[in-house]
């Protein structure tokens, strides 16, 4: 408005993808960004127009922190206010009323958000076991200690979903380098015939240089690799993948690959893992799993 634009001109700019609306009265230049980047901008804009009594939380806080989480709703901006219980949802804004201690609130990019530890716990409590593992892995990956998570749990009070949270915390690991790896591992943990893999195993050549680091390794024989957009973004081409697989096979390691589509249809991933592990007699029965 300050430069003479009209409502009609703003609508035209949006249609032409010269501007994108992220919140009422707030836009960024250009077309839509990646979903988590859009959510981060929406969250900051919404926080700047909200009362001081609320803080960004859940997926919105995760986006501001740069936490990779398992999220299917990139439009809703969550807030939390200190209180006993309750909450409302109006449009894209959702308010949770929960106990909120000072230790669970930080300032990032000029807005108040729940801490990384508290954000991970909120997401774990709101989701299933797989989502909880993804959220807790992300917190550990960003440098939050297990002791900090346990202290934050102690401040929660009585909350529904605490048993699921504690089960996921027992399995959480900072070694999963992406949401896709966390999701894959959490799914594996639900399948009794799939043994627990070793994570991020490194292999070096005779000169001591790193040749490969694999996402998952079973019994020094089977390698598992989650091929997400992160690897593509780092320039990991199909040719490089073939060369790397050849290197691993030269070490008598046998790689199997999967991606987001396989995680979206877990039976596909389960069958891929079974097919990879069965020739080496690595599948477990239910009674032997926890001795492995």
């Amino acid at each position: 408005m300050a430069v003479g634009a009209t409502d009609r001109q703003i609508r035209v700019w949006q249609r032409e993808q010269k501007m994108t609306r992220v919140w009422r009265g707030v836009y960024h230049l250009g077309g839509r960004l990646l979903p988590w980047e859009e959510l981060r901008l929406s969250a900051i804009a919404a926080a700047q127009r909200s009362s001081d009594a609320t803080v960004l939380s859940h997926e919105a806080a995760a986006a501001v922190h740069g936490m990779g989480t398992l999220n299917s709703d990139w439009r809703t901006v969550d807030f939390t206010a200190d209180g006993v219980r309750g909450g409302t949802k109006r449009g894209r804004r959702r308010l949770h009323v929960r106990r909120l201690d000072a230790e669970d609130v930080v300032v990032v990019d000029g807005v108040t958000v729940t801490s990384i530890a508290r954000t991970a716990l909120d997401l774990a409590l709101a989701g299933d076991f797989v989502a909880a593992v993804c959220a807790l892995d992300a917190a550990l990956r960003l440098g939050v200690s297990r002791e900090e998570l346990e202290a934050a749990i102690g401040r929660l009070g009585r909350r529904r979903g605490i048993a699921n949270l504690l089960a996921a915390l027992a399995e959480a690991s900072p070694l999963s380098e992406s949401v896709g790896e966390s999701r894959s591992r959490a799914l594996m943990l639900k399948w009794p015939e799939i043994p627990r893999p070793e994570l991020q195993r490194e292999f070096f050549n005779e000169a001591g240089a790193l040749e490969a680091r694999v996402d998952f390794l079973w019994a020094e024989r089977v390698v598992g690799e989650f091929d997400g957009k992160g690897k593509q973004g780092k320039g990991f081409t199909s040719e490089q993948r073939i060369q790397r697989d050849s290197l691993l096979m030269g070490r008598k390691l046998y790689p199997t690959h999967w991606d987001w589509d396989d995680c979206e249809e877990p039976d596909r991933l389960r069958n891929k893992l079974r097919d990879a592990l069965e020739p080496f007699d690595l599948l477990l029965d239910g009674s032997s799993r926890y001795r492995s």
Side-chain angles (χ1 to χ4, degrees):
M1 295 295 193
V3 297
T6 64
D7 287 339
R8 180 178 180 278
Q9 182 63 63
I10 291 173
R11 286 194 294 269
V12 170
W13 285 339
Q14 288 185 83
R15 189 164 59 247
E16 295 175 349
Q17 296 192 354
K18 294 179 179 178
M19 293 175 64
T20 299
R21 176 176 170 173
V22 296
W23 202 253
R24 183 175 182 181
V26 183
Y27 302 79
H28 70 73
L29 296 178
R32 288 213 168 271
L33 305 173
L34 293 170
W36 51 91
E37 294 175 346
E38 288 283 345
L39 178 56
R40 176 180 172 276
L41 294 178
S42 297
I44 292 173
Q48 291 171 343
R49 285 154 179 76
S50 298
S51 71
D52 294 336
T54 61
V55 302
L56 288 169
S57 63
H58 295 75
E59 285 88 353
V64 173
H65 283 299
M67 292 174 63
T69 62
L70 190 61
N71 185 8
S72 59
D73 180 7
W74 301 104
R75 296 281 297 166
T76 301
V77 175
D78 288 276
F79 289 86
T80 293
D82 185 40
V84 179
R85 66 178 62 183
T88 59
K89 186 175 189 303
R90 182 175 300 173
R92 294 178 57 197
R93 188 180 190 276
R94 179 163 52 207
L95 175 66
H96 308 262
V97 180
R98 296 283 187 270
R99 175 177 170 175
L100 194 62
D101 294 273
E103 299 92 330
D104 297 321
V105 178
V106 296
V107 177
V108 179
D109 292 336
V111 297
T112 53
V113 301
T114 51
S115 67
I116 294 176
R118 174 58 184 266
T119 301
L121 300 188
D122 284 338
L123 292 172
L125 289 167
D128 59 10
F129 176 77
V130 174
V133 169
C134 290
L136 295 168
D137 278 3
L140 294 172
R141 190 162 57 242
L142 289 176
V144 174
S145 69
R146 198 171 294 271
E147 290 73 24
E148 288 177 284
L149 289 171
E150 291 169 349
I153 291 173
R155 294 190 294 269
L156 284 176
R158 297 182 63 183
R159 292 282 297 274
R160 179 181 298 176
I162 198 72
N164 181 64
L165 165 59
L166 294 176
L169 181 60
E171 301 292 352
S173 170
L175 296 178
S176 285
E177 295 185 335
S178 68
V179 185
E181 290 179 31
S182 296
R183 187 180 189 183
S184 300
R185 193 178 87 258
L187 288 170
M188 294 175 202
L189 292 169
K190 298 169 66 175
W191 300 327
E193 75 276 17
I194 305 300
R196 292 172 181 269
E198 182 180 351
L199 306 180
Q200 302 305 325
R201 174 67 177 276
E202 295 180 331
F203 295 94
F204 299 86
N205 61 22
E206 293 181 356
L210 179 66
E211 279 191 337
R213 183 173 65 248
V214 300
D215 297 339
F216 305 95
L217 177 67
W218 287 272
E220 303 290 335
R221 272 292 176 265
V222 177
V223 167
E225 288 288 308
F226 174 78
D227 294 336
K229 293 181 179 179
K231 286 181 180 176
Q232 298 171 11
K234 295 176 182 177
F236 192 68
T237 64
S238 58
E239 291 79 9
Q240 289 173 314
R241 168 178 150 173
I242 292 171
Q243 292 174 359
R244 189 168 178 271
D245 283 357
S246 297
L247 184 151
L248 292 171
M249 292 178 72
R251 289 177 170 268
K252 298 189 183 304
L253 297 168
Y254 300 92
T256 184
H257 295 260
W258 62 89
D259 56 23
W260 273 110
D261 290 339
D262 297 306
C263 290
E264 290 290 339
E265 298 184 34
D267 284 343
R268 266 172 46 180
L269 174 57
R270 189 174 188 175
N271 288 333
K272 279 190 174 185
L273 295 175
R274 289 176 61 90
D275 290 345
L277 296 169
E278 190 171 21
F280 300 96
D281 197 26
L282 294 179
L283 294 178
L284 303 178
D285 58 43
S287 62
S288 65
R289 171 170 191 143
Y290 293 99
R291 296 198 300 272
S292 173

